[in-house]
Amino acid sequence: MTRSVQALASVRSSAPESTGSGRRLGRETSGCDDRGGGDAMTGAGTEHQGVEIRMGDGMGGMGTGTDKGVEAGIEGADGTGTAGGASGGVGCFSRVDALLSAVLAGETGAVPALLEPLDAAERKAALTRLKALRAEVRAGKWAVPPHGPNRIRSALYVAGAGCLTTPAAAASWLGARDLLVREEDKALALAALGDPAPEWAADLARRLARRRAVAEASYPLLHGLVVRSGYTVPPTDGYVTGWTGHLTGDRLVERLREDPQTPVLVAHALAMAEPPERLTRPIGHRPEEHWPPALRTLVEEGVLDRAEVLDTCVSRLLRGGPLRSLRLTLETVRLLAPDAEELRARIPDWVGIAADAPSLVAGYAQEVLVELASAGALPVGALSEMTSGMLFRTEKKLVRAQLALVGQVLAREPGAAGELLPAVTEAFGNEDTELQERALKLVGRHLASVEPEVRRELAEAAALLSPAHRRTAEELFGADLAREAVLPYEEILPPVPEAQRVAPPATTVEELVAELLVKPLPEDPVAFERALDGLVRHAHRDRDGVAEAVREAFPSPGWEQETHYFTHEAHGIHVVLAGLLGVLNPTLADFHRTKGHGADSCLHQALSGVLDARLWEAAVLVGTDALPFLLAAPTRLTGAIDPSVLVKRLREYRDAGVEPAPADLAQALVRVLRADPSAGRAAEEAVALGTPAGLRLATWLREEAAVGATVRFLGRDDGRTVRRSSLIDRLVVDLGEHRAVRAEFPPAFQWLGGALEATPRRCHHWIEGRAQWAPVLPADRELLAACLLPTLAHGVDGDARDATEPLTALVEADGPVGRAVLLSLAFGLGCVDADDRLRAVDAVLVLAARGELDARRLGGELAWLVAEGSVKPNRLADAARTAAATGAYGTVWAILAATLPRLLGAAETETETAAKSETAAETETETEKRAATKTGATARPVRGLGEVLAVAADCVEHCGAGGEVAGLDALASERSSTQLVVQAKRLRNALRQRADHPPTESDRIGR
């Protein structure tokens, strides 16, 4: 920082100001040349080189009159006074000095007046110094007092506006993010610009208007430039957004009426892809600030052209987009209430809107077209096109309304059947069989009115119908209906994922550094482990070389910018890099590497703590002989380690005389595949090593269940928990006692031996480190699932998203599939977020493809979760429908067949009870039993079950399954037209029609 700029800090913003052009502060300045500018400071118009400005004791402040001069002593580096190259004990304080003093003092309001008397040379000199000051502010050199930088930025913003000579340079300065601070600065900047040429002002306005954020925030400045130039600036999204914000208020209509820009800017606002938020607000309690009624008023007064507004609105609705972006135009059209002629002129647009717009907008378009059709003003061709689009939509209400409209038109114009009925067949492929039935009945009523060629076309389309309507279609179309060869049902499941090996670590330092620089590295556990292992290996061979490469790759690391960067977290591989460079606090590192977990810690802290302990340990040992490579580096993409590979690594450690690092060895043991066929031989080889680590590995491999967990749920009325309505508040994960783990493993791993208290707990670890959880326990799938359940439970009855991301790794991991895994899948299928449910569907299908899915037990878990209200039936139906659509109808039916009896209100039969596995029966808690009692024999079916029954019926119709479902006959025998009863009848009929299908494999699935 230069001495002259430092000295300017002594300016006092509270000093008195001069009030007239003839008055001076402190003393008279006769004999001074006020126009010395930058040359007066440097002798050459350059930056203030070694010159210091000191505000003299007699200087009270800065002038605000005509002269605006401010006196001060100007002292050179050698102590002699200089002023424009002249020496003397007392010099003059130039006009440029006064401007810079005001800027540094944050006196933004004084800047326009101080700029006014400056000539071109002075402004050029001032600009050089303003740029230097701006660079210093950005570098944080004026951070004291706290409010100082913002005040300086404001003054810089205004001062720079008055010193720049080209529109491009001015636009760059005025659009800079580091200068735009306060609303009042825009008016001051406009004043600082003075009275530029109209072309110059218009050019600047256009440049600023093209930058949305700048134009939106600087509307007063842009509008002032437009007024001064007399030119019309092309409207942009940013300018219009700023304009709407400026006008919105109690006098909205009046302001719009008075503003000559209104017709052009309103047209642009209506056509915007994302209209300003103020324009899309609901009327609320301040209707006078609502834009659609205001626009209607202006149309009625003739300020806005009605036809142009309607055209713009309809065109915008046709372009589509999210509903929030269409509310303005939709409400404006509704308020304008187009007459029949205006609607008829835009029929093609309304047809397109009805087909593709969001549901609310499509519904309005449908109403418009229904009105035209009822008046006989809708051509048959347009109705046919509209019908094809509407019946392709998923909203049942719109589809029903469209079928009703076609029926009314055909009743009035039977001759139109040949053109309309082919469009009706679009509903044959609807997932709702009730809508399929309506469409089929409509076709049947008017089939006699069509030509043979159209009849054959309709018959071909009947192939899209559900098997439930096959018989009706055969009766309707007869010989025209193509008879398809009935083939045995074949279940379609995804291919079984093959075990994939992890590539070796980087072979060169350059390749290693490239891996370290990959930003999403922590989100890819395999890439992270490869990079960590590569770093350890290369640092062991050449610590200095790797350290130098790391310094070049990370010139300004976070740990150099923040004193407490590593105090509370390891920041991934960065802590190892800091350890390599020797900048890590040894005391802090020892504390974190030996830190354990309290009994009240959550499972997410425990999972994340394993990686943290390994990283801190590596940070201490990296580059030393104590850590030549990582024992825990995975050999498979799941994070698992082959037993023979781990034995080989321990042998290399023994031969090198190296004792394994505690956390590294513990993670290696947890990752080793105990169920692998090579485990027995590897255990023998481990014993032969003759080392403590080898013996530990052998013992670990020979244990059938090294670690484990059980899952149970507290009742909602259990007094041990305060919040009892949510799953997360009733879920208890009990880690089994394992003395060897608690005695031999380092503190960060001892929770695996039962060190955590078994009690429900909420925590905030729903996001952090989630990608790294699954590779901690790749060989113990059931334990991993138990640890993931709290996150998944929060996704079921909370607002968590991406909760099911670890499910893919879970089902591809090793180990038995027990209740925790099945609960994880059940929770995933019932998650709030659709993407979470989709990932759970994939996990279910992969597990089924591996032959490891117990469909009946999964259905049983879903049954009590739905019965108690934790999992919503519509979410289960959506997930089941998605799974079935992949071709896994048999798998889905096997799950639903075990789910439905309890949800239908049927008591569990002895056969179903016996079918439960012994483990499931033992682990059923009072919560599940109460859920069963809630939907006992005297209870009604669960509300919303109709959708689930529809999916179940669809599955049975495709896979040809048979059998009985307890409680289904009673429901299907009721006389009702509700979806629940209709779908129950459909499912019962499908189960009874099994004889019409060849033998299937659906009965085999789930046994």
Side-chain angles (χ1 to χ4, degrees):
M1 194 189 314
T2 58
R3 296 177 60 216
S4 59
V5 176
Q6 285 178 328
L8 292 177
S10 62
V11 175
R12 298 292 184 264
S13 60
S14 59
E17 300 177 346
S18 65
T19 56
S21 59
R23 297 179 61 184
R24 296 291 183 268
L25 298 174
R27 59 179 177 271
E28 293 298 324
T29 57
S30 57
C32 281
D33 182 2
D34 267 348
R35 294 171 298 174
D39 294 340
M41 291 297 300
T42 66
T46 59
E47 276 195 58
H48 25 269
Q49 301 166 351
V51 180
E52 183 174 17
I53 301 176
R54 288 187 300 100
M55 308 310 291
D57 294 338
M59 202 276 300
M62 62 193 69
T64 57
T66 305
D67 272 343
K68 311 299 186 292
V70 181
E71 288 190 284
I74 303 177
E75 184 178 350
D78 57 357
T80 60
T82 61
S87 61
V90 177
C92 74
F93 192 62
S94 73
R95 292 189 297 224
V96 173
D97 299 332
L99 174 64
L100 266 293
S101 299
V103 170
L104 191 54
E107 296 292 343
T108 310
V111 169
L114 291 171
L115 281 167
E116 186 177 353
L118 301 186
D119 59 23
E122 289 173 316
R123 291 177 187 246
K124 182 178 179 181
L127 180 61
T128 300
R129 295 167 65 182
L130 289 171
K131 289 179 178 179
L133 178 58
R134 178 182 173 187
E136 292 181 354
V137 172
R138 275 192 301 212
K141 296 182 179 179
W142 295 94
V144 179
H147 63 276
N150 284 343
R151 295 183 60 181
I152 296 174
R153 290 187 187 100
S154 294
L156 280 170
Y157 176 81
V158 176
C163 293
L164 292 157
T165 57
T166 67
S172 177
W173 185 279
L174 293 171
R177 293 184 178 181
D178 63 313
L179 295 180
L180 200 57
V181 178
R182 303 179 305 173
E183 182 64 28
E184 56 267 30
D185 294 342
K186 288 78 172 181
L188 292 172
L190 186 64
L193 287 169
D195 192 15
E199 296 81 1
W200 195 97
D203 189 7
L204 175 58
R206 281 191 292 267
R207 290 174 184 273
L208 293 175
R210 284 197 291 264
R211 302 169 63 178
R212 177 162 185 166
V214 175
E216 182 177 346
S218 305
Y219 172 77
L221 172 61
L222 268 69
H223 182 60
L225 291 170
V226 170
V227 172
R228 290 185 180 185
S229 68
Y231 285 72
T232 300
V233 176
T236 63
D237 288 357
Y239 185 76
V240 170
T241 302
W243 175 71
T244 58
H246 181 71
L247 293 186
T248 300
D250 297 343
R251 298 176 54 247
L252 176 60
V253 174
E254 182 180 345
R255 291 173 177 172
L256 286 169
R257 189 185 295 121
E258 296 172 351
D259 195 333
Q261 304 175 105
T262 293
V264 174
L265 298 187
V266 163
H268 186 90
L270 292 173
M272 286 174 65
E274 295 183 14
E277 186 270 338
R278 298 176 185 84
L279 275 61
T280 60
R281 292 174 183 167
I283 291 181
H285 63 282
R286 299 181 69 86
E288 67 276 6
E289 297 182 6
H290 197 49
W291 278 73
L295 298 182
R296 178 184 60 183
T297 300
L298 297 181
V299 168
E300 293 171 349
E301 295 176 355
V303 176
L304 298 176
D305 183 82
R306 179 182 177 87
E308 182 179 345
V309 171
L310 279 175
D311 284 339
T312 304
C313 289
V314 173
S315 176
R316 178 64 191 88
L317 293 174
L318 183 60
R319 281 161 46 204
L323 180 60
R324 64 177 180 275
S325 299
L326 302 177
R327 289 189 184 276
L328 170 66
T329 47
L330 176 62
E331 195 167 347
T332 300
V333 171
R334 280 181 165 170
L335 290 175
L336 291 178
D339 57 30
E341 185 60 34
E342 290 172 325
L343 295 175
R344 191 182 304 113
R346 298 172 177 85
I347 285 177
D349 294 333
W350 291 117
V351 170
I353 294 168
D356 301 321
S359 183
L360 183 65
V361 181
Y364 177 74
Q366 187 181 44
E367 293 173 6
V368 168
L369 294 169
V370 166
E371 180 181 341
L372 291 173
S374 301
L378 185 64
V380 174
L383 177 58
S384 175
E385 182 182 355
M386 171 197 178
T387 301
S388 295
M390 293 300 296
L391 298 187
F392 190 73
R393 298 185 68 97
T394 58
E395 300 93 337
K396 297 176 183 179
K397 178 180 179 181
L398 298 181
V399 173
R400 291 193 192 99
Q402 192 62 29
L403 291 174
L405 173 62
V406 174
Q408 295 170 6
V409 172
L410 287 177
R412 188 173 65 242
E413 305 176 43
E419 193 169 356
L420 292 179
L421 291 186
V424 171
T425 61
E426 193 70 51
F428 286 0
N430 195 290
E431 63 183 24
D432 190 323
T433 56
E434 187 267 336
L435 294 177
Q436 292 183 13
E437 184 180 7
R438 289 190 181 212
L440 186 59
K441 288 181 178 179
L442 179 59
V443 169
R445 283 197 298 269
H446 300 279
L447 189 60
S449 303
V450 302
E451 300 293 330
E453 184 178 349
V454 176
R455 182 186 178 94
R456 286 191 293 271
E457 180 183 349
L458 299 175
E460 291 177 4
L464 299 172
L465 290 166
S466 165
H469 301 308
R470 183 76 186 181
R471 183 171 298 175
T472 304
E474 289 175 350
E475 295 173 355
L476 182 61
F477 295 107
D480 290 325
L481 186 65
R483 292 190 171 274
E484 300 178 357
V486 180
L487 300 175
Y489 171 74
E490 182 178 353
E491 186 83 352
I492 300 175
L493 292 172
V496 179
E498 297 182 0
Q500 299 183 43
R501 301 286 175 177
V502 177
T507 57
T508 65
V509 175
E510 292 75 16
E511 182 183 350
L512 169 65
V513 171
E515 291 180 356
L516 295 176
L517 289 173
V518 175
K519 289 188 177 180
L521 184 62
E523 300 302 319
D524 186 343
V526 174
F528 182 88
E529 292 284 352
R530 284 187 67 248
L532 180 60
D533 188 34
L535 176 61
V536 169
R537 289 174 182 269
H538 283 285
H540 180 255
R541 299 190 196 108
D542 180 12
R543 176 169 186 158
D544 292 339
V546 176
E548 182 62 30
V550 169
R551 288 191 185 95
E552 293 179 2
F554 298 88
S556 300
W559 58 80
E560 289 186 359
Q561 308 298 325
E562 299 179 30
T563 306
H564 301 287
Y565 189 75
F566 293 118
T567 300
H568 302 293
E569 57 180 311
H571 290 282
I573 208 166
H574 283 192
V575 72
V576 185
L577 297 178
L580 174 68
L581 299 178
V583 298
L584 203 58
N585 185 327
T587 303
L588 181 66
D590 287 337
F591 167 76
H592 280 292
R593 68 182 292 203
T594 58
K595 185 176 68 172
H597 300 287
D600 59 345
S601 297
C602 71
L603 291 167
H604 308 110
Q605 283 176 306
L607 283 170
S608 299
V610 168
L611 178 60
D612 286 344
R614 292 178 58 216
L615 290 171
W616 282 104
E617 181 179 83
V620 173
L621 302 179
V622 66
T624 69
D625 291 337
L627 193 65
F629 57 85
L630 293 181
L631 294 173
T635 60
R636 303 193 183 186
L637 290 184
T638 59
I641 302 175
D642 292 287
S644 59
V645 174
L646 184 53
V647 172
K648 179 182 176 182
R649 292 174 180 174
L650 287 175
R651 185 178 296 113
E652 292 182 33
Y653 262 62
R654 183 201 63 182
D655 295 344
V658 178
E659 188 69 24
D664 188 30
L665 177 59
Q667 178 66 95
L669 292 177
V670 173
R671 281 180 172 170
V672 72
L673 295 171
R674 298 191 312 277
D676 191 81
S678 65
R681 181 176 178 81
E684 296 174 359
E685 295 178 353
V687 172
L689 292 176
T691 63
L695 292 175
R696 286 181 63 184
L697 173 58
T699 303
W700 189 264
L701 289 173
R702 288 168 176 167
E703 289 194 49
E704 292 186 6
V707 289
T710 57
V711 180
R712 55 191 174 88
F713 296 85
L714 301 179
R716 283 194 166 102
D717 56 350
D718 195 320
R720 286 175 290 177
T721 178
V722 178
R723 291 174 291 191
R724 299 181 293 274
S725 60
S726 301
L727 279 174
I728 187 63
D729 299 314
R730 295 182 287 122
L731 172 65
V732 178
V733 176
D734 192 354
L735 299 175
E737 177 76 17
H738 196 293
R739 294 182 180 178
V741 170
R742 298 183 67 171
E744 299 174 3
F745 279 50
F749 290 80
Q750 290 177 8
W751 62 277
L752 293 170
L756 300 183
E757 181 183 1
T759 185
R761 56 170 61 85
R762 285 180 178 252
C763 69
H764 60 280
H765 307 94
W766 308 119
I767 301 299
E768 299 90 339
R770 181 181 298 166
Q772 298 284 354
W773 291 346
V776 172
L777 300 167
D780 290 281
R781 180 162 40 188
E782 187 70 3
L783 177 57
L784 174 60
C787 295
L788 296 177
L789 280 175
T791 300
L792 293 165
H794 197 66
V796 173
D797 52 23
D799 57 356
R801 297 294 184 270
D802 301 325
T804 59
E805 282 183 349
L807 285 186
T808 300
L810 174 67
V811 297
E812 293 180 2
D814 289 85
V817 175
R819 189 181 189 217
V821 173
L822 297 176
L823 278 171
S824 297
L825 298 177
F827 284 9
L829 295 174
C831 277
V832 175
D833 185 55
D835 289 336
D836 276 330
R837 295 197 296 271
L838 183 59
R839 282 187 287 266
V841 166
D842 289 339
V844 169
L845 297 180
V846 168
L847 205 61
R850 292 168 60 119
E852 298 174 329
L853 177 67
D854 189 332
R856 290 190 180 184
R857 286 186 61 192
L858 176 57
E861 299 292 358
L862 285 167
W864 76 263
L865 286 168
V866 175
E868 73 154 18
S870 293
V871 170
K872 307 303 179 188
N874 63 320
R875 295 174 191 162
L876 173 59
D878 175 72
R881 187 183 302 113
T882 302
T886 66
Y889 293 100
T891 299
V892 176
W893 167 244
I895 296 171
L896 294 181
T899 305
L900 289 174
R902 181 174 290 186
L903 304 185
L904 288 168
E908 191 176 64
T909 65
E910 293 181 6
T911 303
E912 291 167 334
T913 303
K916 282 187 174 181
S917 70
E918 184 177 344
T919 303
E922 290 176 354
T923 57
E924 186 175 32
T925 64
E926 290 300 321
T927 299
E928 293 98 306
K929 292 175 182 177
R930 278 192 290 270
T933 303
K934 177 182 175 181
T935 54
T938 59
R940 290 290 300 165
V942 171
R943 186 172 183 178
L945 189 60
E947 286 189 65
V948 180
L949 289 174
V951 178
D954 194 40
C955 291
V956 172
E957 290 164 357
H958 280 85
C959 71
E964 296 290 334
V965 176
L968 182 62
D969 279 344
L971 179 60
S973 300
E974 294 185 8
R975 300 179 63 180
S976 172
S977 60
T978 62
Q979 184 189 28
L980 178 66
V981 175
V982 169
Q983 296 302 331
K985 293 176 188 272
R986 177 190 167 199
L987 176 57
R988 182 185 62 179
N989 294 339
L991 290 170
R992 291 178 177 177
Q993 290 175 4
R994 181 185 181 187
D996 297 337
H997 294 268
T1000 73
E1001 52 179 292
S1002 59
D1003 288 332
R1004 176 185 61 79
I1005 299 172
R1007 286 183 177 176

